[in-house]
Amino acid sequence: MKKLIGLAAAGAMLVALAGCASEGGGAAAESGPKPLDELVVGFAQVGAESGWRTANTKDIQAAFEEAGIELKFSDAQQKQENQIKAIRSYIQQQVDVIAFSPVVETGWDAVLNEAKAAGIPVVLTDRAVDSKDESLYVSFLGSDFVKEGEKAGQWVLDEYADATEPVEIIQLEGTTGAAPAIDRAEGFAEVISENPNLEVVASQTGDFTRAGGKQVTEALLKSNPGVDLIYAHNDDMGLGAIEAIEAAGLKPGEDIKIVTVDAVKDGMQALADGKINFIVECSPLLGKQLIEIIKQINDGETPQKRIITEETTFTQEQAIEALPDRQY
Ligand code: AHR
């Protein structure tokens, strides 16, 4: 009987170890940690669509440089098929870890299963994937986008607390299908639903770009001349909206209020100048935390499954104070 219990326990341990290996870090656990200068990491970036993204790329590249870890970097130009190609090439090159920020939420299971079968741990940075199988990635490091949308909604709710007439809102959405576009819309809608006077009269994607924000605002101002507020899912689209509002002979921040997400330098400057009214911060500085996760994987440790970035919000006064020290 004792022998049987012993065998069962040994079997359970093997199953548990196999589970750990399939969640990533298996190779490291078997052969011991590699020296950092022998590690190779493949990073598949979304693109260069915004000031936020540029800051994120720079921060990641600087963190790898400082840690002495080799980084293979690719820019998918906001196309999922390019990211999938990049990930497949990292699998072929047998890198030690793959990290990526998924351009959209769905459609990753096949390529992530290929990485898993090759024993290469995957770390998600910035954006999530929508998959039932959480074993396809080791850790997800990034913001709580729903909370960001809620914070934007809360400012609008407070600003129009005494409104007795309908408040017309235009929403500039991020890339269709991307986690921050879905979640920021959800959080915002949930909070503003507390006041029936707050109404999103139009909502369209500007693809997280300044040009997209400008173009969509130009068109939507024509069909919604009574608009009171624009909620843009990022600073860049808000900055594009400012251009469109000024071109229409109106004053951004006064005739039409603007709320955005990110808090990159250009956005903060517009907030300080009174052209944007409120910004919810989304930090692009993920490089150092990503390196920590990679080191844990290399040491055979299990990183935290979800790491949420710490973030704040900015009013005009706070932007004026923060601007001189803003890194990005
Ligand atoms: O995923 C983060 C978002 O992507 C940022 O808010 C936006 O600026 C970027 O393009």
Side-chain angles (χ1 to χ4, degrees), residues 104-300:
V104 290
E105 268 190 345
T106 54
W108 298 103
D109 281 34
V111 72
L112 293 184
N113 267 304
E114 290 167 34
K116 185 176 173 179
I120 303 176
V122 172
V123 179
L124 304 176
T125 69
D126 166 35
R127 297 182 183 180
V129 295
D130 184 5
S131 171
K132 286 200 181 83
D133 185 355
E134 289 202 349
S135 77
L136 294 178
Y137 61 92
V138 179
S139 181
F140 166 32
L141 160 69
S143 310
D144 181 338
F145 296 134
V146 176
K147 192 158 261 161
E148 290 173 350
E150 287 170 355
K151 288 179 189 170
Q154 191 58 51
W155 186 86
V156 176
L157 198 65
D158 296 342
E159 182 70 11
Y160 293 99
D162 300 327
T164 48
E165 294 194 354
V167 175
E168 293 190 18
I169 301 170
I170 285 177
Q171 176 169 240
L172 301 178
E173 300 164 22
T175 305
T176 306
I182 297 167
D183 295 352
R184 286 173 187 165
E186 183 193 314
F188 185 78
E190 175 68 34
V191 172
I192 65 160
S193 69
E194 284 178 37
N195 180 349
N197 275 323
L198 302 175
E199 196 192 341
V200 177
V201 291
S203 186
Q204 265 184 40
T205 180
D207 215 10
F208 281 129
T209 66
R210 202 174 290 208
K214 185 178 178 192
Q215 203 185 333
V216 172
T217 306
E218 272 165 4
L220 292 182
L221 284 183
K222 285 185 189 131
S223 45
N224 302 273
V227 64
D228 298 290
L229 179 133
I230 292 182
Y231 165 45
H233 287 181
N234 78 345
D235 286 349
D236 278 80
M237 291 190 295
L239 292 164
I242 289 174
E243 290 177 29
I245 292 168
E246 286 176 337
L250 297 167
K251 274 196 160 186
E254 288 183 29
D255 296 325
I256 300 175
K257 296 202 164 119
I258 303 180
V259 177
T260 65
V261 184
D262 274 357
V264 295
K265 250 190 193 155
D266 288 355
M268 292 285 271
Q269 188 59 58
L271 178 57
D273 295 343
K275 294 183 176 188
I276 290 180
N277 303 82
F278 186 68
I279 300 184
V280 177
E281 185 183 41
C282 176
S283 176
L285 306 180
L286 304 178
K288 284 207 166 82
Q289 282 170 292
L290 174 59
I291 294 294
E292 281 318 305
I293 295 171
I294 289 164
K295 283 182 182 169
Q296 286 175 349
I297 294 171
N298 187 43
D299 290 341

Side-chain angles (χ1 to χ4, degrees), residues 5 46 285:
I5 293 171
V46 170
L285 306 180

